[in-house]
Amino acid sequence: MNSEYYIKAGTGGQDHFDVVVTPETAGRSGAGGTTRSGWTESSLWTLTLAAGESVDLESGTDEIMIVPLSGSATVTSDGTKFELQGRTSVFDGPSDFVYVGKDSSYTVASTDGGRFALCGARAQNKLPLRYVAAADVSVELRGAGNCSRQVHNFGTADRFEADSLIACEVITPGGNWSSYPGHKHDENTASETALEEIYYFEIAPGPGERAGFGYHRVYGTPQRPIEVLEEVRTGDVVLVPHGYHGPSVAAPGYHMYYLNVMAGPGKERAWNIVDDPEHTWIRGTWEEQAVDPRLPLNGLTLDPASEGA
């Protein structure tokens, strides 16, 4: 029996959408019809369009970041049109993206077809429509040794202005651990900001298009227990309403990608975390290790402000 916080690829979609995670759907039911609770802020839709296809959408109470997973698209809103160059796959570097504010109508169209992530969060304020080029997305490396990973900070709080939404992409080379040490952000305190988090996974295929896999862990505190340990494959989603999460482990031979979508009810838009105190010492070992030489993938240019956290 899978956790109620795990959504298997192909089981959570509707219409053009392969994945639909909203406060309404996430709070309604999980695996085996169990009821989830505590989901009020963040959303994710993954949209598949055939060549020449388009879809008209409304942002409603959400602000939205539209990010190509594969393929290119045109996004039109309020009479303004943006061309998203996109990418061949999520393993080919960061993509350009478009931000759509709350209470907006918008259209996503694709000449050649593709798949697109729509990252959402409940918003109080309507911010302007914007486009960000892939070249302007900050790329950094975190960790070292077999904890090395590559992060695309396209929608993080320190890189892009939004009302509530925080989003980024992480590439973990095969055999490595990321989202490690386990950490949490489920309280509004001096050291944490309360954020719900969505993990959407894709796994690079092995030789002969063999389907790869990885693992993802979520665990709670005595006061707020939660237990998730799932094998994850392309298109799978894990919800993190609270608790420590990590590691995300990429099986040897298969690079792992995940898209993180976060939002919370607090006034501060920030990613403030605390490590599991049992494992935070791991960070100190990275100072004596080199970053995985496979990174950055595809010879990407790194953000000089990268801290290797």
Side-chain angles (χ1 to χ4, degrees):
M1 177 67 71
N2 295 119
S3 164
E4 63 266 33
Y5 298 103
Y6 165 76
I7 304 172
K8 184 177 176 59
T11 65
Q14 61 188 47
D15 301 326
H16 291 286
F17 296 107
D18 302 309
V19 169
V20 177
V21 176
T22 68
E24 293 76 23
T25 66
R28 189 165 55 235
S29 64
T34 55
T35 299
R36 306 186 190 102
S37 61
W39 204 266
T40 61
E41 306 297 327
S42 58
S43 299
L44 174 67
W45 302 261
T46 62
L47 171 66
T48 297
L49 294 177
E53 200 169 17
S54 67
V55 60
D56 297 325
L57 300 167
E58 300 283 341
S59 63
T61 57
D62 282 357
E63 56 184 343
I64 306 289
M65 295 179 188
I66 303 162
V67 185
L69 300 172
S70 64
S72 58
T74 299
V75 178
T76 306
S77 181
D78 295 332
T80 301
K81 180 183 292 186
F82 293 113
E83 299 289 342
L84 286 172
Q85 181 178 348
R87 52 193 168 181
T88 301
S89 82
V90 294
F91 298 99
D92 294 314
S95 176
D96 48 356
F97 71 97
V98 168
Y99 171 93
V100 177
K102 63 176 291 191
D103 298 324
S104 299
S105 300
Y106 64 103
T107 299
V108 183
S110 181
T111 300
D112 299 316
R115 296 185 305 107
F116 311 95
L118 280 57
C119 311
R122 294 290 192 255
Q124 297 297 317
N125 303 296
K126 182 175 181 178
L127 301 183
L129 179 71
R130 281 163 287 159
Y131 167 85
V132 177
D136 294 327
V137 173
S138 166
V139 177
E140 67 169 313
L141 303 184
R142 294 182 186 170
N146 66 349
C147 292
S148 302
R149 58 271 202 189
Q150 175 178 317
V151 184
H152 304 159
N153 292 306
F154 70 91
T156 53
D158 58 342
R159 300 295 178 179
F160 184 81
E161 182 186 5
D163 187 69
S164 177
L165 178 60
I166 297 174
C168 68
E169 300 176 312
V170 179
I171 305 291
T172 307
N176 284 10
W177 289 37
S178 65
S179 278
Y180 189 70
H183 57 279
K184 74 181 185 79
H185 41 69
D186 58 12
E187 300 179 86
N188 285 317
T189 67
S191 55
E192 283 183 72
T193 45
L195 298 167
E196 305 164 351
E197 186 162 12
I198 301 168
Y199 276 72
Y200 166 80
F201 293 91
E202 295 200 9
I203 309 294
E209 295 301 304
R210 290 175 172 85
F213 65 99
Y215 292 93
H216 184 71
R217 177 85 169 103
V218 184
Y219 57 101
T221 62
Q223 296 75 26
R224 301 183 73 187
I226 184 173
E227 289 292 337
V228 181
L229 177 57
E230 295 292 345
E231 179 180 292
V232 291
R233 297 176 180 267
T234 292
D236 289 353
V237 171
V238 175
L239 305 178
V240 185
H242 60 86
Y244 294 105
H245 40 288
S248 291
V249 183
Y254 301 100
H255 296 337
M256 169 189 282
Y257 162 94
Y258 54 83
L259 169 64
N260 287 146
V261 181
M262 292 170 275
K267 294 182 179 180
E268 182 182 14
R269 178 177 176 256
W271 184 67
N272 295 328
I273 67 169
V274 294
D275 288 341
D276 181 339
E278 288 293 314
H279 306 301
T280 192
W281 65 270
I282 293 294
R283 292 186 185 274
T285 68
W286 296 344
E287 298 174 1
E288 301 174 356
Q289 300 180 62
V291 173
D292 191 317
R294 293 173 290 180
L295 296 176
L297 297 184
N298 306 311
L300 293 172
T301 300
L302 298 177
D303 183 342
S306 170
E307 298 180 357

